[in-house]
Amino acid sequence: MTQIFCIANQKGGVGKTTTTVNLAAGLAKVGQRVLLIDLDPQGNATMGSGVDKRQLKQTVYDVLLETATVEQARVRAEKCGYDVLGANRELAGAEVELVDEERREKRLKAAIAAVQSQYDFVLIDCPPSLSLLTLNGLCSAHGVIVPMQCEYFALEGLTDLVNTIKQVHANLNRELLIIGLLRVMFDPRITLQQQVSDQLKDHFGDKVFDTVIPRNVRLAEAPSYGLPGVVFDPSAKGSQAFVDFAKEMVVRVQKAEKVSVQA
Ligand code: ADP
Ligand code: MG
């Protein structure tokens, strides 16, 4: 079954886009068919996959307004091994343009359904807000991956996101789950980060992924070359961690499928 995951956290700069492009590249590397959807008008996941957002004729904006299908608007990120449904600044207007439309929060879900069988994973990079765009992401997904830095206010920030996910689950998408929390930009030398990491595990148990993504400058450099770190420098510690994360994801999904077959 196709796994559709949102990468979300209402904070900016926490590593959502880095996680989306590198998980996509990592999954592609281990043989998975991946569609990346950029739901952020900044278009960083698009550019970070080597797709020039300014050159795109059609984007996720057209898909949301139902003037294009995913099949028409997606492009291949050749070097990365996955498909991209890109975004650019135009997407910022979608929010307003959709306000009076019917099923406005389920547009993306309907569009994905038409191509879903062509992919093992659909990864949706969400903007840093709980907007109609993010809502479209959450309504489309089976689960949410939450990248987070192990900082003092990390747990507090989670409360809003968890509440939103609960509300979407109750009202719009009964399938939606928190798949897990991913510790990113981790520096084990910082005692506070270790402490927050331990707290996260106490609170959330096996909802915390085993893989930890270290702070690694190669991951930060990669976007300026239009590549995920995993492709730009596969031997970098951060890149290896993302490939490990992709493998962890595949194993989790297989386990979950086994359970549901037995049930
Ligand atoms: P978001 O999408 O949540 O706004 P980004 O993925 O764009 O966050 O990350 C914010 C900044 O942090 C970017 O400049 C990115 O290159 C950098 N960054 C993300 N993850 C790492 C990491 N593991 N190590 C070093 N820098 C990172
Ligand atoms: Mg981003």
Side-chain angles (χ1 to χ4, degrees):
M1 195 189 84
T2 312
Q3 303 296 319
I4 305 174
F5 296 144
C6 275
I7 293 69
N9 187 324
Q10 75 279 17
K11 274 179 80 176
V14 289
K16 291 182 290 296
T17 300
T18 306
T19 299
T20 312
V21 298
N22 282 287
L23 178 58
L27 286 168
K29 214 169 192 169
V30 297
Q32 303 293 304
R33 299 167 303 163
V34 182
L35 172 66
L36 181 156
I37 299 178
D38 192 351
L39 260 192
D40 188 335
Q42 292 187 67
N44 292 344
T46 305
M47 298 294 278
S49 303
V51 174
D52 189 344
K53 62 183 178 185
R54 293 155 302 199
Q55 305 280 325
L56 285 173
K57 290 201 182 68
Q58 289 170 321
T59 65
V60 68
Y61 168 81
D62 300 278
V63 169
L64 288 171
L65 290 177
E66 296 179 345
T67 53
T69 61
V70 177
E71 200 138 30
Q72 289 165 335
R74 73 182 166 192
V75 293
R76 182 80 181 161
E78 283 297 343
K79 290 182 187 157
C80 307
Y82 54 81
D83 289 348
V84 175
L85 177 58
N88 55 31
R89 279 171 55 195
E90 211 178 14
L91 181 58
E95 191 97 13
V96 177
E97 289 169 63
L98 284 173
V99 151
D100 293 324
E101 300 290 328
E102 276 174 45
R103 317 170 282 109
R104 57 177 184 265
E105 67 286 330
K106 301 233 167 136
R107 291 284 176 107
L108 188 63
K109 182 186 169 77
I112 293 173
V115 293
Q116 194 162 327
S117 62
Q118 300 169 26
Y119 298 102
D120 300 303
F121 287 87
V122 177
L123 303 179
I124 306 171
D125 187 27
C126 289
S129 61
L130 301 171
S131 60
L132 180 57
L133 292 173
T134 301
L135 205 53
N136 260 279
L138 294 175
C139 283
S140 310
H142 302 122
V144 186
I145 296 169
V146 186
M148 52 187 309
Q149 295 176 44
C150 291
E151 288 170 345
Y152 186 62
F153 289 115
L155 282 171
E156 233 164 87
L158 265 187
T159 318
D160 287 342
L161 184 65
V162 170
N163 284 338
T164 304
I165 292 170
K166 276 188 187 154
Q167 274 179 23
V168 173
H169 181 268
N171 298 308
L172 294 165
N173 178 4
R174 298 298 299 178
E175 281 185 298
L176 191 67
L177 294 169
I178 295 184
I179 304 293
L181 308 176
L182 177 66
R183 291 162 287 174
V184 297
M185 299 190 222
F186 192 75
D187 185 345
R189 292 167 302 183
I190 301 175
T191 314
L192 176 66
Q193 293 208 1
Q194 276 295 354
Q195 287 168 348
V196 173
S197 173
D198 292 342
Q199 272 179 4
L200 273 182
K201 279 206 201 138
D202 289 345
H203 262 79
F204 294 97
D206 62 5
K207 288 275 182 204
V208 181
F209 291 110
D210 294 335
T211 311
V212 177
I213 310 298
R215 184 171 282 283
N216 178 221
V217 70
R218 300 300 271 170
L219 291 175
E221 288 168 353
S224 60
Y225 296 86
L227 292 172
V230 165
V231 180
F232 172 63
D233 183 356
S235 63
K237 279 224 161 72
S239 307
Q240 289 177 349
F242 271 116
V243 174
D244 289 344
F245 180 46
K247 290 177 183 161
E248 180 179 355
M249 203 58 157
V250 171
V251 171
R252 275 203 184 213
V253 165
Q254 284 167 348
K255 268 190 197 155
E257 280 177 351
K258 228 185 218 164
V259 171
S260 70
V261 168
Q262 284 164 355

